[in-house]
Amino acid sequence: MFLKRQMPAIIAIGVGLFILFGHFINNPNVQGFVNNDATQWFDIIASFAIFLGALNMLKLQVLKVVKKQRNWQYSILAIFGFAFAIFAGFFFRGANYITLTDIHPQNVNKLVEYISTVQEVDDPVLMVKGIQGSLASYEIPKIFISRSSAEAFSVTISGIAKDVTLGVKPWGAHVQIKGSLFSWMFFKIFTPLSSTMFALLAFFVASASYRAFRIRNFEATLLLVAGIILMIGRVPVGELVPWWLVSTLMVFGIGALIAPLIPDKKLLFGIIIGGIVLTSGLGILLDWNLAVNMPAILSLPNISEWIFDYPTAAGSRAIMIGIALGIIATSFRIILGIERPF
Amino acid sequence: MNNKLLVISGIASFIIFIYWATFGSWFITGNAPTFVGVIIVSATIFYYIDGAKSGKEIYLRPIPGLKAIEEAVGRATEMGKSVLFVPGISDMDQVDTVAGINILSHVAEITAKYETDLNVPTCRAIVMESAREACRESYLRAGRPDLYYDDMVHYISDDQFAYAAGVNGIMIREKPAACFYQGKFYAESLLLAETGNSIGAIQIAGTGSASQIPFFVTACDYTLIGEEFFAASAYLSNKPELIGSIKGQDIVKFMVMILMVSVFALDSLRQLGILNFDILVLLGLN
């Protein structure tokens, strides 16, 4: 019971206090622990814990297939993917390469031609220069997943150089070398799938924006107006919106705000038309067509910048201060052992 | 003032004294304002924890998102569907995840009482283990340890989008009636929340990631914003010592407000040449 209950609390409180006050103690060992060792310990524990997670995932998927639970077919794909990644990472390097020694200078162009049959060559001239610079020993810039394909290619180019040798990239390095089985899996399967999920975000942003911008109340209207101003103000076309359009829209906005206070619609109409005439007349009189004369408030990029720099920044900072204080209070509760999520 | 508080104040004063007395040798130069800040914040929070423990009444304003937790689980029970709890994609080194696990323990207690299925897909193995421990305790507390099984908390993937795809798949296939997103989230927040919205689930989100709050506000029924998320476990537990820390946190916020206004006023007076005192230098900001 002590190991399960008190011990974790003692460790959490002790390490928590030590790291908190360690930030202020002028000692290289303490600083080393706070800045490096503590985080490395966490990384080590997390690395071991990954086995727990992987085994749990595998167990659940296997059980699903064995018991033929609902949608068990998807689990076959998950198990296959897991097994394939383990195979490519731990059991099969799939990173064979060919090295040529003592290449005859007259065979360089021929070699480039051969290479272009198995690997896309962007700049043949550059490749020729590269080979000419290392005629004594040159590694072909192509990784062969299977040894048999590497052997077949080495037979093809056997007359090019005095000696053709086959090699395999070392364990560990094979997962990062472009062209290996693992990198093929990563770049041809995993990356496109991740990108697909990320790309879905564009559609979800559209549907979420639609819902947020639906005019239901004053706040939603404010959000819609601010959103439109920000969207237009942040693109080049926003600079082309003329002052009279912005001033007219502003008059309409003010009209919408004061509308509930003026029951007489004719009077309201008169105020709005008067406002438009007044602003337009002022603009013509003061020559607002010239950028230097135009008030900054009538430029959409300026308005969007103001919205971003002041109301948005103020709101987000208020939330950030709240979050920071929340983090401090939660950390304090954990360090003192008042709250124990472990 | 009680004796305990006097002792704490004494210790704090002693630490501050040592700090100033040995400045530059034992302590890191330049960290003085932060250190004093830590001491003041800690002492304030501790004071209110102590006050709450001694029976002082503390009012907490109602938070709709927290009140809706029981309602969401109840809805899932009535519909005969499961409850999905997503604890974010970060590890236990993030306070957000810790706060998420704390909320999970309350949700698990309600699902245990209502005999509703709970599904907790995790992105990190350590979070999986912590979440299991929290759920096990909650089912035990609710008097239903028989309903708990380890696999209600399961691991999907460490990768952000693989995890999002996995959770979205669970949502589409199992159609949970209530979805909780409580933890640290990044770009996957909207993927999850919009999918949850499309299946008609009641959704309650909470995160400390300021950039993801707008997405949750848009797509979820209730969102715990900022400090509400970190106060959630204290609010739900109703334990005096935890509620006291919330009060302390609010007092610190009030102190921060006063400090901000004071700094603004004093610095304005200095810039106008009325005052010959630089508050920014004192706070280590200049």
Side-chain angles (χ1 to χ4, degrees):
Chain A
M1 208 54 165
F2 172 77
L3 285 176
K4 209 166 162 52
R5 294 249 171 224
Q6 280 87 4
M7 197 63 182
I10 291 168
I11 293 171
I13 294 167
V15 175
L17 284 172
F18 186 67
I19 288 180
L20 175 65
F21 288 106
H23 280 290
F24 306 104
I25 296 169
N26 191 16
N27 181 298
N29 293 328
V30 175
Q31 285 299 307
F33 178 79
V34 170
N35 296 326
N36 302 315
D37 298 350
T39 48
Q40 280 177 11
W41 279 17
F42 180 82
D43 290 343
I44 291 166
I45 294 167
S47 307
F48 278 106
I50 192 78
F51 288 108
L52 289 173
L55 289 175
N56 173 260
M57 195 275 282
L58 196 62
K59 185 189 100 181
L60 285 181
Q61 301 300 332
V62 170
L63 277 176
K64 222 170 184 181
V65 174
V66 171
K67 291 183 179 173
K68 292 254 168 78
Q69 288 172 350
R70 212 166 133 235
N71 299 312
W72 62 274
Q73 296 88 341
Y74 296 116
S75 298
I76 295 176
L77 211 60
I79 296 165
F80 176 75
F82 186 86
F84 185 73
I86 294 284
F87 175 71
F90 292 103
F91 299 105
F92 184 76
R93 275 182 276 187
N96 300 284
Y97 65 97
I98 297 168
T99 311
L100 302 173
T101 43
D102 294 334
I103 303 167
H104 302 295
Q106 66 269 30
N107 288 341
V108 171
N109 287 326
K110 213 173 172 185
L111 177 62
V112 173
E113 267 178 45
Y114 280 130
I115 292 172
S116 64
T117 60
V118 289
Q119 170 93 13
E120 198 177 318
V121 178
D122 294 330
D123 191 346
V125 180
L126 198 71
M127 184 173 264
V128 167
K129 280 184 185 168
I131 297 170
Q132 281 170 342
S134 48
L135 289 171
S137 176
Y138 179 73
E139 187 185 316
I140 289 177
K142 159 78 182 167
I143 295 292
F144 297 88
I145 290 177
S146 69
R147 191 164 179 88
S148 58
S149 61
E151 280 170 353
F153 188 68
S154 67
V155 170
T156 313
I157 58 168
S158 54
I160 297 283
K162 195 177 172 188
D163 196 20
V164 180
T165 50
L166 261 68
V168 191
K169 295 286 179 188
W171 285 107
H174 73 291
V175 296
Q176 289 181 334
I177 290 168
K178 201 180 170 192
S180 70
L181 183 64
F182 195 89
S183 85
W184 176 85
M185 179 196 73
F186 190 83
F187 290 110
K188 304 287 181 187
I189 301 173
F190 178 78
T191 308
L193 287 173
S194 286
S195 307
T196 307
M197 283 305 293
F198 190 60
L200 275 177
L201 209 53
F203 301 101
F204 284 139
V205 165
S207 64
S209 306
Y210 168 73
R211 224 180 4 265
F213 288 160
R214 263 186 313 181
I215 299 175
R216 289 162 298 180
N217 48 32
F218 176 72
E219 287 85 358
T221 315
L222 207 61
L223 188 70
L224 173 70
V225 172
I228 289 173
I229 292 172
L230 269 176
M231 280 190 276
I232 299 175
R234 296 239 151 191
V235 290
V237 77
E239 289 177 20
L240 301 175
V241 178
W243 62 266
W244 53 266
L245 184 60
V246 180
S247 67
T248 309
L249 289 173
M250 278 183 173
V251 173
F252 279 134
I254 293 165
L257 280 175
I258 61 168
L261 307 172
I262 302 168
D264 188 352
K265 297 297 164 201
K266 282 179 188 166
L267 179 65
L268 181 68
F269 183 73
I271 291 171
I272 291 172
I273 293 296
I276 292 170
V277 170
L278 188 74
T279 49
S280 304
L282 261 177
I284 294 163
L285 208 69
L286 300 173
D287 200 8
W288 286 350
N289 282 319
L290 285 175
V292 283
N293 293 339
M294 191 181 73
I297 197 172
L298 296 180
S299 152
L300 273 188
N302 283 343
I303 300 172
S304 74
E305 198 119 316
W306 182 85
I307 291 172
F308 209 75
D309 288 348
Y310 296 96
T312 311
S316 63
R317 276 178 199 165
I319 292 173
M320 299 267 271
I321 291 172
I323 290 170
L325 288 173
I327 289 174
I328 292 171
T330 308
S331 309
F332 191 75
R333 291 197 293 262
I334 293 166
I335 288 175
L336 289 188
I338 298 169
E339 198 162 33
R340 295 183 194 177
F342 37 85
Chain B
M1 253 193 198
N2 56 26
N3 290 340
K4 205 187 281 179
L5 195 69
L6 277 173
V7 172
I8 296 295
S9 307
I11 292 170
S13 309
F14 180 71
I15 292 171
I16 292 172
F17 173 75
I18 294 280
Y19 187 92
W20 289 108
T22 62
F23 201 82
S25 55
W26 285 15
F27 292 92
I28 294 170
T29 328
N31 275 2
T34 317
F35 184 72
V36 173
V38 167
I39 298 292
I40 291 172
V41 170
S42 307
T44 310
I45 294 174
F46 188 83
Y47 173 79
Y48 283 96
I49 289 174
D50 201 53
K53 267 185 187 170
S54 60
K56 207 172 170 181
E57 278 283 312
I58 291 175
Y59 170 74
L60 283 184
R61 71 176 166 85
I63 299 174
L66 297 176
K67 293 232 177 260
I69 289 179
E70 191 149 1
E71 181 192 320
V73 179
R75 182 175 179 260
T77 312
E78 281 173 10
M79 293 172 78
K81 289 183 174 181
S82 62
V83 170
L84 181 77
F85 190 100
V86 184
I89 64 161
S90 286
D91 224 322
M92 288 302 283
D93 57 341
Q94 295 287 327
V95 183
D96 300 51
T97 314
V98 176
I101 298 294
N102 286 337
I103 297 171
L104 169 65
S105 62
H106 296 285
V107 173
E109 203 171 335
I110 302 171
T111 57
K113 277 181 195 160
Y114 288 10
E115 297 180 18
T116 308
D117 280 344
L118 176 65
N119 191 350
V120 188
T122 60
C123 189
R124 308 280 164 172
I126 294 183
V127 176
M128 179 184 80
E129 285 303 313
S130 305
R132 277 182 177 173
E133 202 61 42
C135 287
R136 191 181 292 123
E137 289 265 336
S138 299
Y139 274 74
L140 200 64
R141 222 171 23 241
R144 297 308 306 267
D146 53 311
L147 291 178
Y148 173 79
Y149 57 99
D150 271 347
D151 291 340
M152 68 167 55
V153 182
H154 57 99
Y155 174 83
I156 289 189
S157 168
D158 260 47
D159 183 75
Q160 180 184 22
F161 290 112
Y163 177 71
V167 176
N168 280 1
I170 291 170
M171 284 187 199
I172 298 292
R173 288 191 297 272
E174 295 179 9
K175 295 202 168 29
C179 295
F180 294 90
Y181 311 105
Q182 309 285 339
K184 186 97 179 161
F185 291 90
Y186 295 92
E188 74 291 343
S189 64
L190 192 62
L191 293 175
L192 302 172
E194 275 294 290
T195 309
N197 193 291
S198 71
I199 58 165
I202 184 166
Q203 304 199 98
I204 302 173
T207 182
S209 315
S211 55
Q212 303 306 320
I213 290 172
F215 297 125
F216 279 137
V217 170
T218 308
C220 296
D221 299 283
Y222 299 94
T223 307
L224 304 173
I225 297 172
E227 73 265 37
E228 285 178 354
F229 170 57
F230 297 101
S233 65
Y235 187 98
L236 292 166
S237 70
N238 228 10
K239 283 182 189 165
E241 60 266 39
L242 295 181
I243 292 172
S245 73
I246 305 297
K247 174 86 175 172
Q249 186 184 322
D250 278 354
I251 296 296
V252 172
K253 199 198 278 182
F254 183 64
M255 285 155 69
V256 169
M257 283 178 196
I258 292 172
L259 184 71
M260 281 164 73
V261 173
S262 311
V263 170
F264 172 74
L266 289 172
D267 199 51
S268 300
L269 290 174
R270 186 189 62 82
Q271 287 188 29
L272 290 169
I274 299 167
L275 199 71
N276 190 22
F277 165 68
D278 194 348
I279 183 81
L280 298 179
V281 172
L282 183 74
L283 294 174
L285 298 169
N286 220 348

